[in-house]
Amino acid sequence: MRRRTFLAALPAAGAAAAAATPALATSRAENPNRDRPDVRIGDRVDGATFAGRSAVWGVHGAAATAHPLATLAAIEILKAGGSAVDAAIAANAILGFGEPIACGIGGDCFVMLWDPKQKKVVGLNGSGRSPKGLSLETVRKRAKPNGTLPSYGAITVSVPGAVDAWWALHQRYGKLPWKALFEPAIRHATEGAPVIQNTAFYVEASNRNFTKPDAGIEEVDNFRKLWAPDGRTPREGEIFRNPDLANTYRLIAEGGGRAFYEGEIAERIERYFKRIGGWMTREDLAAHHSEWVEPRSIDYRGTDVWALPPNSQGLVTLQMLHILAQFDVGGMGFQSAAAIHHGVEAKRLAFEDRARFYADPAFYEQPVDWLLSKDYARERAKLIRPNRIAPMVYPGKAPSHGDTTYFTTADADGMMVSIIQSNYRGMGSGLIPDGLGFMFQDRGELFALTDGHPNIYAPGKRPFQTIIPGFATRDGQPLLSFGVMGGDMQPQGQSQVVMNLVDFGLGLQEAGDSPRWHHDGGMEPTGQDLGQPGVLNLESGVPEKTKAGLAKIGWTFKPAPGGYGGYQAIQRWPGRYAAATEMRKDGVALAY
């Protein structure tokens, strides 16, 4: 007898008793059986042995996000006749409610998409600038002893760019009414929805960080009121509501994207920062507009991989792949010590350039053509030795010249949207404006404070950005919309996904489920030196033989659970889409 039929046949008292199951264990502390590194994923009848699921397929459209409700809303928007852009906006609004540990309307947004009418990849920079009234002198007074900016508080807040990015996208590519895109998010924020696992984990961690005596946050009462009204944050599966965010979404839905920057919301934001002693003003908000930009690309063994130019770190992916193209990575073997070693060394070289040359192009002219040239890639590749670590790596000498959520959608017209949106570190700055239900980003932490550095803080300047969408084409046609979340893991993860697909022939889901590496070390765009040669973090699924080979080369290891990013992807095939999602997160991919 099926369970539903069985329960229906029970008397009322019996049904209540049957429903009264023990509380679910929602953490390792509550159930030690969940922490068994010797236990591996079960066996699939087909596909790679390390893959947790297969890709999903559809002919009309697809969506992959880090939250099931966001993916479902995107599909519903597509089925209602919306474009891939409409679906992405609807999904992002829900992610801001259900996955606020990674994103929200207090953060920035970057986009690449395939425009089927123009038959080209289009880019949008939706990052905001620092307050005009915040001087370098004041910022330096707030710096930490090591000369970098604090992680939290008003000193780190730059203008949120996400809502204007949505507005710019919808103005050009939207099909459904703007207001309709917010209806699912408003409904969930009003009625409430169960908290997903990653959100529960990271909100609890944020609560600990924000409420430390030395956190440096001007006020945390608004955070406590929203997320810990009873002294604790919600556990996985518990219902969470955010009526303040629902009302903010209503104001945006009714007033258009500029309502965030020029109306009641902007006035509330200004009053909030005046109350806590911050610097953001209505003038700062009103001055913000997203910027359409030209993506750049390199050819990686017949696949054109695309990225956004600075102030994003997107070109790091291209630099890494350009260096790796000088080697027979496929011949080294999948998950081999040689393949990982060459990838890490390419990362180290590209990241030194990242620290030296990546900044707001309105304040500094990057040598982009040189950084992406084949000659420079060959020059950098010569510095890699197959059996030893380069003890020190430096940025190239340029010739003279004039945390995070990723999601993707695709529609029946052939449009594919690669979009990433973030509050930066954790949930953001710790600051939630009175009555608005969202947290401001702490992206300003990534400014440098050293004189002469391209990324040095200045009023009205965009900080260096870690968030990067990914895209690939082949023979002038769209192939792949993809991304990997997670700070400096993003270009490292993107490069590994591309290698898995191109060099090792893995499927779309397998390319993301494959064990990853993450390197820490070298110079940062803030001017901070993390040391050479750094440490290598390997997921537990990397073969023991590979670990031994890397140790023989000289690498030292450091565990980094949760530090390997989050992957979503849609691949275009003739007449159909495949979509994949991240097994390390809580989302789903759907297609129809």
Side-chain angles (χ1 to χ4, degrees), residues 57-61 571-578 592:
W57 294 83
V59 297
H60 301 293
Q571 190 172 13
R572 178 69 174 173
W573 291 74
R576 60 202 188 277
Y577 293 112
Y592 75 105

Side-chain angles (χ1 to χ4, degrees), residues 220-534:
V220 293
D221 289 342
N222 286 353
F223 172 82
R224 287 195 183 103
K225 180 181 177 182
L226 178 60
W227 284 104
D230 300 321
R232 72 167 180 87
T233 56
R235 302 297 188 259
E236 177 190 355
E238 293 181 351
I239 302 296
F240 170 73
R241 297 175 177 84
N242 192 341
D244 285 345
L245 180 63
N247 186 58
T248 301
Y249 280 161
R250 288 189 188 97
L251 292 172
I252 296 170
E254 295 287 348
R258 296 305 299 174
F260 184 91
Y261 302 90
E262 298 170 2
E264 177 183 341
I265 298 171
E267 292 174 0
R268 289 190 184 186
I269 290 173
E270 182 178 68
R271 286 199 302 268
Y272 174 71
F273 279 108
K274 283 184 177 179
R275 179 172 78 80
I276 68 170
W279 297 270
M280 189 75 66
T281 67
R282 285 179 295 173
E283 288 73 22
D284 292 320
L285 293 162
H288 173 77
H289 294 277
S290 301
E291 179 184 358
W292 295 100
V293 295
E294 288 292 330
R296 301 297 297 263
S297 68
I298 60 104
D299 178 352
Y300 187 72
R301 310 191 207 282
T303 297
D304 293 313
V305 184
W306 295 79
L308 295 178
N311 55 317
S312 145
Q313 67 172 338
L315 299 188
V316 177
T317 301
L318 305 191
Q319 286 193 253
M320 287 179 65
L321 291 173
H322 232 178
I323 293 170
L324 290 167
Q326 313 307 312
F327 303 95
D328 180 13
V329 175
M332 296 176 187
F334 174 60
Q335 288 289 323
S336 68
I340 292 177
H341 170 68
H342 281 74
V344 174
E345 292 289 77
K347 176 267 177 186
R348 293 178 65 207
L349 291 163
F351 268 56
E352 291 301 310
D353 287 341
R354 181 187 83 145
R356 171 64 182 85
F357 299 114
Y358 287 42
D360 186 347
F363 287 75
Y364 173 76
E365 185 179 354
Q366 284 84 12
V368 172
D369 290 340
W370 168 73
L371 289 170
L372 297 184
S373 68
K374 291 183 178 179
D375 287 343
Y376 182 57
R378 285 190 285 265
E379 177 186 325
R380 299 296 267 175
K382 291 176 182 177
L383 300 175
I384 298 177
R385 296 293 180 264
N387 298 314
R388 62 184 176 90
I389 303 169
M392 292 292 293
V393 292
Y394 300 95
K397 187 176 181 181
S400 59
H401 58 83
D403 286 329
T404 303
T405 196
Y406 173 83
F407 51 105
T408 177
T409 57
D411 63 28
D413 293 330
M415 179 179 291
M416 299 172 67
V417 178
S418 179
I419 179 169
I420 194 161
Q421 204 261 300
S422 172
N423 282 2
Y424 185 50
R425 182 185 297 277
M427 294 186 74
S429 64
L431 299 173
I432 296 178
D434 300 329
L436 294 181
F438 67 87
M439 184 175 290
F440 287 105
Q441 64 187 354
D442 49 357
R443 187 63 62 177
E445 182 187 354
L446 287 175
F447 277 118
L449 299 179
T450 306
D451 287 334
H453 195 291
N455 188 43
I456 188 172
Y457 176 86
K461 184 176 182 178
R462 294 174 295 190
F464 165 82
Q465 284 273 358
T466 56
I467 57 175
I468 52 173
F471 209 92
T473 60
R474 185 176 291 163
D475 299 326
Q477 296 298 316
L479 175 67
L480 183 68
S481 174
F482 76 111
V484 177
M485 318 162 204
D488 70 349
M489 180 63 200
Q490 294 178 52
Q492 300 184 58
Q494 283 191 0
S495 299
Q496 290 172 66
V497 167
V498 172
M499 287 189 287
N500 287 340
L501 291 168
V502 176
D503 293 307
F504 303 119
L506 297 186
L508 192 66
Q509 184 66 47
E510 298 167 348
D513 285 356
S514 169
R516 295 183 191 142
W517 53 264
H518 175 208
H519 176 263
D520 283 318
M523 292 297 296
E524 289 287 291
T526 60
Q528 185 179 14
D529 188 350
L530 301 181
Q532 298 278 11

